[in-house]
Amino acid sequence: MMEGTLQGGALAIVVFGLFQCCGMALARLALPKESGGVRLLIGSVWGSVSLQWFPVLFAFFLDFTPLALACGLCLDILLAGAALWGSRRLSVPGISLSGICSAFHRRKFLWVVLAVWVFFCYLVWHSFRWKNGVVYSSQATYGDMSMHLSFITSLANQQDFPPDYSLLPGTRLSYPFLSDSISSSLYQLGAPLRLAYALPMWAAGGQVLFGLYGFFARMTQGKGRTALAWILFVFNGGLGFLYFLGGGWENFTRIFTGFYQTPTNLVEKNIRWVNVVVDMMLPQRATLFGWAMLFPALYLLYRAVFQGEKRGFLLAGLMAGAMPMVHTHSFLAMGLVCGVWMVFSLCGGLFGEEKSAVVGKALIIAGLPIFCVVKEVARGKENSPWFLGAAGVVLAVFLTLAAFLLVQTVRRRNGRGVLSTWGVLLLAACVPALPQLFYWTFHQAGAGNFVRGHFGWVIGGDSYLLFYLKNLGLTAVLALTGLLLAKGREFAQYAPALAIWLLAELVEFQPNDYDNNKLFYPAFAFLCCAAAQCAWRGLKLLRNKRAQAGAAAGMLALTSVSAVLTMGREAVASYELFGHGALSLAKWVETHTAPSALILTDTRHNNEIASLTGRDIVCGSPSYLFYHGLSYESSLKDVQVIYEDTEEAWPLLERMGVDYILVSDFDRNSYQVDQEALDSLYPRVYDDGARVLYQVTEQEENP
């Protein structure tokens, strides 16, 4: 099944395309005033969301089967048909090739966006290569891809719903798995695993890159400023390239030969501000699909808040409500943006936009030195409940302010306006989001010590300003200046960055400190808009066009050179993930074992049994399980006991329901395997000289 069939691949492409077309039909009815390009983008997003969510709705009753997918497709087609019927009298121009070409002619920077999307599609295909019976990954995907493959294949093959972790059987899968279920649906149709993995990512990459451009176009209100903000975000990188200058040619070439020796990810020099394309969108599927929803949703929210398109409140709320099990951090970021923009809109109506902006700037001027002092005082004590308490105080003050503003607004007889806008958004978001949060997210977060006080992200031994200066580079200076120069409504547009950044500096939402960057990057998108506005104003001060062009080129080179080098490294990176023997074993297991079989293996991250066959293993890699907040220590100990004391381990094997035991070079290196005992107790059902699979219980072969 890993290799799939031509017919299965064609069917998967057709089904994926049908969901996309249905999304565009819905966008035709919901967004009649938007351009064809915007409807194409948001319709594509809605098509992907439908493929993620509609099969899941039926899976609660039918399990995650092709029948659930078929029911989801029928529901989507019915909704699309109703949308087309409802929009038949609307004078909405269709989406045509000529219209798309016209958009590219009017906004020539879209060709750059298209080129980066094509490059991203190449990276996706390059990062999961099958060549001469070996599977290769790239540098960025070497760590995370095996985990995502285990979710994709286990959900497709086992079909149980709600699913458990195949890496820790008996534990509910509460990771935002819809970023993988979209590929599971295509894989069930017979598509090759590589195609099922890549096709939704290709679409999501375009949704992120073009959605980002559309959002920035509204935020910056100018083609040049939009392009500049987009480049600052997509080609993000600070001053890390300086560490590769001098020291001989080898010091530079290690970027393209070493493992994680790039100008945006050099841990030994505390360069941690990784490139969004290479190190976020490519390996972290939840982030990719979350951003594919987040930026178009922010576009709709901007249109609603600042341009009076009230239906945007409902649509943005519905998109936010679908986010938690796609990407929880994007849902949290969306909530913070909504809260800040609501408060500023209420403040503007009561006190005026300029006064609100003055207060915000005062908080920046006072807050930055405070953060610098706290960083020095808290050295070695970054993990503390005091920071969680401080965040709670800030939240309480914010909610009190919001309540006061709402009361004052109601007193001025504008309560109906608030209910018809922000009230609609809150209801539309909470109705679909709360069941997800209570059933999946809170369940795992409460058990895994997810939410805790921590100051300073991964700043380490650097001072506060030095860390962000060398990681964000010139963009940090431009963004800060842009915030201070912004007036009234413009400052309100950027203000969500401050709330998100403050929360991310005080509270962590996963056991891994580094993962808070999933909050920082949405804030960074707003800062890129402020930086672009600041840079544009600075360039306008140069009256000579050649001077302007030279200054712009120098600025772009300084801000993007680290990213370009990192992208170049990813384009040539190649690491063996699964070898000949691993693939042969995986094919045998798929053919000869039941999808529900439990197999004992070692706990390496690139485990072919979990990743390629979708079978359960006793305990997966601690590097995955720990950072998901799961309690795996007992299972880890059981693995060692079974391998090293096999004769006495039968009660343990029976209690756990182990069906097969794999002994390979990996297992022999990890444990003192008692293979003589295994040979005396269980038959060998697979043996290629390096890998031996023992059958512990009677099993029916996979039909």
Side-chain angles (χ1 to χ4, degrees), residues 284-559:
Q284 301 190 31
R285 285 174 65 99
T287 299
L288 171 66
F289 287 93
W291 287 0
M293 299 172 67
L294 176 63
F295 293 119
L298 289 176
Y299 171 92
L300 293 173
L301 184 62
Y302 180 94
R303 293 276 283 149
V305 176
F306 297 103
Q307 296 182 324
E309 290 290 337
K310 287 190 175 182
R311 72 175 64 199
F313 285 104
L314 173 62
L315 299 177
L318 291 172
M319 292 179 71
M323 285 182 191
M325 286 310 294
V326 177
H327 190 224
T328 313
H329 287 83
S330 289
F331 173 74
L332 178 56
M334 184 70 180
L336 291 169
V337 173
C338 290
V340 173
W341 276 356
M342 183 189 73
V343 166
F344 264 94
S345 65
L346 295 176
C347 283
L350 293 172
F351 310 116
E353 295 174 341
E354 291 300 330
K355 292 181 180 179
S356 303
V358 169
V359 173
K361 294 177 187 180
L363 291 175
I364 295 174
I365 295 172
L368 194 57
I370 291 174
F371 269 33
C372 294
V373 172
V374 171
K375 175 63 183 76
E376 298 305 316
V377 173
R379 283 189 181 275
K381 303 175 184 177
E382 288 86 356
N383 290 296
S384 171
W386 287 101
F387 297 118
L388 187 60
V393 170
V394 172
L395 178 60
V397 171
F398 181 83
L399 293 176
T400 301
L401 173 62
F404 170 78
L405 293 172
L406 285 170
V407 170
Q408 295 300 315
T409 301
V410 170
R411 284 182 176 179
R412 296 192 178 194
R413 299 182 180 180
N414 196 28
R416 182 175 296 180
V418 175
L419 286 176
S420 64
T421 53
W422 294 107
V424 167
L425 184 146
L426 182 64
L427 183 64
C430 286
V431 169
L434 288 177
Q436 302 172 59
L437 295 172
F438 280 101
Y439 187 77
W440 280 298
T441 308
F442 295 157
H443 171 79
Q444 182 159 330
N449 191 31
F450 268 54
V451 182
R452 64 193 192 282
H454 177 91
F455 182 78
W457 188 37
V458 289
I459 293 177
D462 288 333
S463 67
Y464 192 85
L465 290 180
L466 174 62
F467 175 81
Y468 282 113
L469 180 61
K470 72 180 185 181
N471 274 273
L472 273 66
L474 179 60
T475 305
V477 178
L478 293 173
L480 182 59
T481 308
L483 285 170
L484 297 177
L485 292 177
K487 297 180 180 179
R489 176 167 293 194
E490 184 186 346
F491 184 87
Q493 294 171 9
Y494 307 147
L498 305 178
I500 299 173
W501 205 282
L502 174 63
L503 182 66
E505 290 286 27
L506 296 177
V507 183
E508 288 188 341
F509 295 89
Q510 279 187 257
N512 188 0
D513 298 343
Y514 170 79
D515 278 342
N516 249 30
N517 62 1
K518 297 170 186 176
L519 272 181
F520 281 114
Y521 281 108
F524 182 63
F526 288 87
L527 295 180
C528 286
C529 294
Q533 292 283 20
C534 175
W536 197 259
R537 291 184 177 116
L539 291 173
K540 288 299 182 183
L541 296 177
L542 302 174
R543 299 188 180 277
N544 186 294
K545 290 188 176 181
R546 289 186 178 180
Q548 289 179 349
M555 177 183 61
L556 291 177
L558 182 61
T559 57

Side-chain angles (χ1 to χ4, degrees), residues 71-408:
C71 290
L73 179 58
C74 289
L75 174 61
D76 206 24
I77 291 174
L78 287 174
L79 292 174
L84 291 175
W85 176 261
S87 63
R88 68 190 188 283
R89 294 181 180 177
L90 298 176
S91 57
V92 182
I95 301 172
S96 63
L97 181 60
S98 61
I100 295 173
C101 292
S102 176
F104 275 77
H105 178 72
R106 293 192 309 272
R107 292 181 175 267
K108 293 181 172 54
F109 188 77
L110 286 174
W111 290 105
V112 176
V113 180
L114 179 63
V116 175
W117 180 33
V118 171
F119 176 68
F120 174 77
C121 292
Y122 162 76
L123 289 181
V124 172
W125 200 241
H126 172 76
S127 68
F128 188 18
R129 298 191 319 286
W130 300 64
K131 184 178 180 181
N132 299 325
V134 176
V135 175
Y136 295 92
S137 76
S138 63
Q139 176 177 261
T141 57
Y142 182 76
D144 286 2
M145 185 164 60
S146 295
M147 179 193 72
H148 288 293
L149 290 176
S150 74
F151 296 158
I152 293 169
T153 57
S154 64
L155 191 56
N157 289 335
Q158 297 187 36
Q159 300 182 354
D160 295 331
F161 200 89
D164 285 351
Y165 276 92
S166 63
L167 304 177
L168 195 66
T171 304
R172 183 186 302 167
L173 179 57
S174 296
Y175 178 89
F177 62 84
L178 295 186
S179 60
D180 294 311
S181 71
I182 189 172
S183 290
S184 300
S185 294
L186 303 181
Y187 190 42
Q188 283 187 333
L189 297 176
L193 181 56
R194 189 184 183 192
L195 177 63
Y197 175 88
L199 180 59
M201 290 185 70
W202 289 338
Q207 292 158 9
V208 173
L209 296 172
F210 284 97
L212 189 71
Y213 182 85
F215 174 55
F216 284 174
R218 292 295 175 180
M219 287 281 288
T220 58
Q221 298 295 319
K223 295 179 182 179
R225 293 186 290 273
T226 300
L228 182 54
W230 192 91
I231 291 173
L232 291 176
F233 186 84
V234 173
F235 289 89
N236 71 299
L239 304 178
F241 68 92
L242 296 175
Y243 292 103
F244 298 89
L245 302 179
W249 181 244
E250 295 78 10
N251 184 45
F252 178 77
T253 57
R254 66 188 169 109
I255 295 175
F256 303 96
T257 58
F259 188 69
Y260 277 119
Q261 296 289 304
T262 68
T264 62
N265 200 339
L266 194 63
V267 176
E268 59 265 30
K269 300 298 183 181
N270 214 15
I271 298 295
R272 308 299 301 273
W273 193 251
V274 297
N275 177 253
V276 297
V277 174
V278 167
D279 289 301
M280 299 299 292
M281 293 170 57
L282 182 61
Q284 301 190 31
R285 285 174 65 99
T287 299
L288 171 66
F289 287 93
W291 287 0
M293 299 172 67
L294 176 63
F295 293 119
L298 289 176
Y299 171 92
L300 293 173
L301 184 62
Y302 180 94
R303 293 276 283 149
V305 176
F306 297 103
Q307 296 182 324
E309 290 290 337
K310 287 190 175 182
R311 72 175 64 199
F313 285 104
L314 173 62
L315 299 177
L318 291 172
M319 292 179 71
M323 285 182 191
M325 286 310 294
V326 177
H327 190 224
T328 313
H329 287 83
S330 289
F331 173 74
L332 178 56
M334 184 70 180
L336 291 169
V337 173
C338 290
V340 173
W341 276 356
M342 183 189 73
V343 166
F344 264 94
S345 65
L346 295 176
C347 283
L350 293 172
F351 310 116
E353 295 174 341
E354 291 300 330
K355 292 181 180 179
S356 303
V358 169
V359 173
K361 294 177 187 180
L363 291 175
I364 295 174
I365 295 172
L368 194 57
I370 291 174
F371 269 33
C372 294
V373 172
V374 171
K375 175 63 183 76
E376 298 305 316
V377 173
R379 283 189 181 275
K381 303 175 184 177
E382 288 86 356
N383 290 296
S384 171
W386 287 101
F387 297 118
L388 187 60
V393 170
V394 172
L395 178 60
V397 171
F398 181 83
L399 293 176
T400 301
L401 173 62
F404 170 78
L405 293 172
L406 285 170
V407 170
Q408 295 300 315

Side-chain angles (χ1 to χ4, degrees), residues 676-689:
E676 290 185 4
L678 287 169
D679 281 324
S680 66
L681 292 170
Y682 310 115
R684 297 186 176 198
V685 292
Y686 181 89
D687 185 355
D688 66 0

